[in-house]
Amino acid sequence: MLKGKIIKGLSGFYYVDTESGLYECKARGIFRKQKITPLVGDNVEISIVDEENKKGVVETIEERETELVRPPIANVDKALIVFAVKDPKPNLSLLDRFIVHAERENLEIVIIFTKMDLDDGSLDELVEIYEKAGYKVIPVSSEKHINIDKVKEELKGNTVVFAGPSGVGKSSLLNQIDESFQLKTGTVSEKIGRGRHTTRHAELLKLECGGIVADTPGFSSLELDGIDEMELKEYFIEFDKYDECKFGSKCVHENEPACDVKEAVENGEISKQRYESYLQLLNEIRQKNSRRY
Ligand code: GDP
Ligand code: ZN
């Protein structure tokens, strides 16, 4: 048996990357009976059927650490959330929405602000907001080749998705990280940027720096379906340490008097910007839920 990772699935075949190369595999019939569908990203064991033609069979699937729906990939461990400093101007409420989705999927999060060469003074504040919340923030410029190595460090040894709106420079950044990326994906802008957001097939690409990246951006739907009013606050990690709020676990940190989170917003320990995003999302969830009942 050979250990490997499924990096692509196509018409019932799974392409498994192993230390002895790539194998085209079928899945054992038992998986279908158990209603288990192998997923891109799965860590598997295969038996070799035909070494010459690199054909095998997926025998076992390791338990998944994470399982993304869009794109459908198992065992992603990190989300690199990408927004531009300028052109387009960052929509922070959208950024916070990406964070909520990534937190919900239990991914490690790094926030990248691209196009720092265009900065006209807003970058410092952006970095401050998200560092204060507890995130690692990396400003980069693909144009001027700044901090590309720092992003590579984040990729090394991890399976990551890039997430963020189109036009912020995700494909430009990936091209800087790995010069052969364009060859691997064909038309990059079509793949990771515009146009392929509705894709149902995802593929993992191995990068020279030792990371693995999804060829489609993460969280193509940012709907808040299924998130409970009480649950949202868990995804604003800077609220965590105030969870001993006088109102206990029932506090949604909104209209409750003497709420510790509100106090922290007042005295600047929590960013107002982030708190307002939270309230906005909270209201959206309520409206959704009231329509449902
Ligand atoms: P994507 O849709 O997120 O993949 O974004 P692209 O990589 O296609 O980039 C969108 C536009 O932003 C392109 O015109 C890029 O040339 C430009 N761009 C990307 N990165 C930078 C950067 O670091 N600085 C500047 N000034 N422009 C950039
Ligand atoms: Zn509270």
Side-chain angles (χ1 to χ4, degrees), residues 138-166:
I138 308 178
V140 303
S141 168
S142 301
E143 187 88 9
K144 300 264 191 281
H145 318 285
I146 305 171
N147 286 347
I148 306 297
D149 283 348
K150 287 194 181 158
V151 181
K152 281 189 192 172
E153 273 310 305
E154 296 301 326
L155 288 158
K156 214 171 271 174
N158 289 305
T159 303
V160 311
V161 287
F162 278 75
S166 67

Side-chain angles (χ1 to χ4, degrees), residues 82 87 114-118 140-144 164-173 188-189 192-194:
V82 185
D87 292 344
T114 56
K115 310 196 190 185
M116 68 181 290
D117 53 291
L118 303 178
V140 303
S141 168
S142 301
E143 187 88 9
K144 300 264 191 281
S166 67
V168 296
K170 294 184 294 302
S171 354
S172 307
L173 180 57
V188 178
S189 59
I192 197 149
R194 297 159 281 272

Side-chain angles (χ1 to χ4, degrees), residues 5-283:
K5 191 183 204 47
I6 300 178
I7 59 167
K8 179 178 166 180
L10 197 66
S11 329
F13 287 103
Y14 300 96
Y15 295 84
V16 178
D17 178 58
T18 74
E19 57 184 26
S20 352
L22 191 69
Y23 288 82
E24 182 187 81
C25 299
K26 292 211 156 198
R28 275 183 60 189
I30 183 94
F31 293 128
R32 199 172 318 135
K33 281 187 211 120
Q34 296 172 340
K35 293 201 174 17
I36 297 170
T37 311
L39 254 187
V40 168
D42 269 331
N43 297 317
V44 298
E45 283 182 316
I46 64 170
S47 55
I48 297 164
V49 176
D50 177 352
E51 177 57 42
E52 202 179 339
N53 295 305
K54 293 282 187 195
K55 290 187 191 302
V57 172
V58 176
E59 299 283 352
T60 65
I61 302 176
E62 210 177 273
E63 199 180 325
R64 293 168 188 153
E65 293 285 335
T66 60
E67 189 176 329
L68 292 192
V69 180
R70 292 195 191 86
I73 302 180
N75 303 317
V76 170
D77 28 46
K78 202 180 269 191
L80 300 182
I81 302 182
V82 185
F83 275 70
V85 178
K86 208 185 147 191
D87 292 344
K89 186 172 185 278
N91 173 344
L92 298 190
S93 120
L94 183 63
L95 170 46
D96 293 332
R97 195 182 266 262
F98 273 102
I99 292 175
V100 164
H101 282 264
E103 286 291 354
R104 191 160 194 242
E105 301 291 351
N106 246 328
L107 305 180
E108 197 187 319
I109 295 170
V110 175
I111 296 167
I112 297 178
F113 288 111
T114 56
K115 310 196 190 185
M116 68 181 290
D117 53 291
L118 303 178
D119 178 38
D120 50 15
S122 57
L123 177 61
D124 286 351
E125 195 196 341
L126 293 172
V127 173
E128 197 196 314
I129 292 173
Y130 290 94
E131 281 186 344
K132 195 182 238 157
Y135 293 109
K136 185 182 270 186
V137 181
I138 308 178
V140 303
S141 168
S142 301
E143 187 88 9
K144 300 264 191 281
H145 318 285
I146 305 171
N147 286 347
I148 306 297
D149 283 348
K150 287 194 181 158
V151 181
K152 281 189 192 172
E153 273 310 305
E154 296 301 326
L155 288 158
K156 214 171 271 174
N158 289 305
T159 303
V160 311
V161 287
F162 278 75
S166 67
V168 296
K170 294 184 294 302
S171 354
S172 307
L173 180 57
L174 270 162
N175 283 327
Q176 287 293 316
I177 288 165
D178 190 324
E179 280 173 10
S180 59
F181 182 77
Q182 198 140 9
L183 292 175
K184 288 173 183 156
T185 57
T187 322
V188 178
S189 59
E190 256 181 40
K191 281 252 182 174
I192 197 149
R194 297 159 281 272
R196 285 253 336 237
H197 287 223
T198 51
T199 185
R200 299 186 133 264
H201 297 282
E203 198 175 322
L204 290 173
L205 304 165
K206 281 171 67 173
L207 301 174
E208 283 151 6
C209 65
I212 300 177
V213 67
D215 74 332
T216 43
F219 322 111
S220 49
S221 163
L222 291 168
E223 290 297 320
L224 299 167
D225 291 325
I227 301 183
D228 181 84
E229 197 177 314
M230 282 306 215
E231 183 187 344
L232 182 66
K233 60 184 176 182
E234 292 167 29
Y235 309 134
F236 280 76
I237 57 168
E238 66 268 53
F239 296 0
D240 278 3
K241 71 174 191 197
Y242 305 97
D243 226 31
E244 295 302 301
C245 183
K246 297 169 198 68
F247 287 87
S249 57
K250 285 218 180 73
C251 188
V252 291
H253 318 311
E254 188 191 27
N255 295 317
E256 297 88 343
C259 155
D260 289 352
V261 167
K262 283 191 337 187
E263 202 176 293
V265 175
E266 285 306 313
N267 66 29
E269 283 169 45
I270 289 176
S271 132
K272 269 211 165 60
Q273 167 71 45
R274 289 270 299 164
Y275 181 64
E276 274 159 21
S277 279
Y278 168 73
L279 292 181
Q280 190 186 331
L281 293 174
L282 186 66
N283 277 314

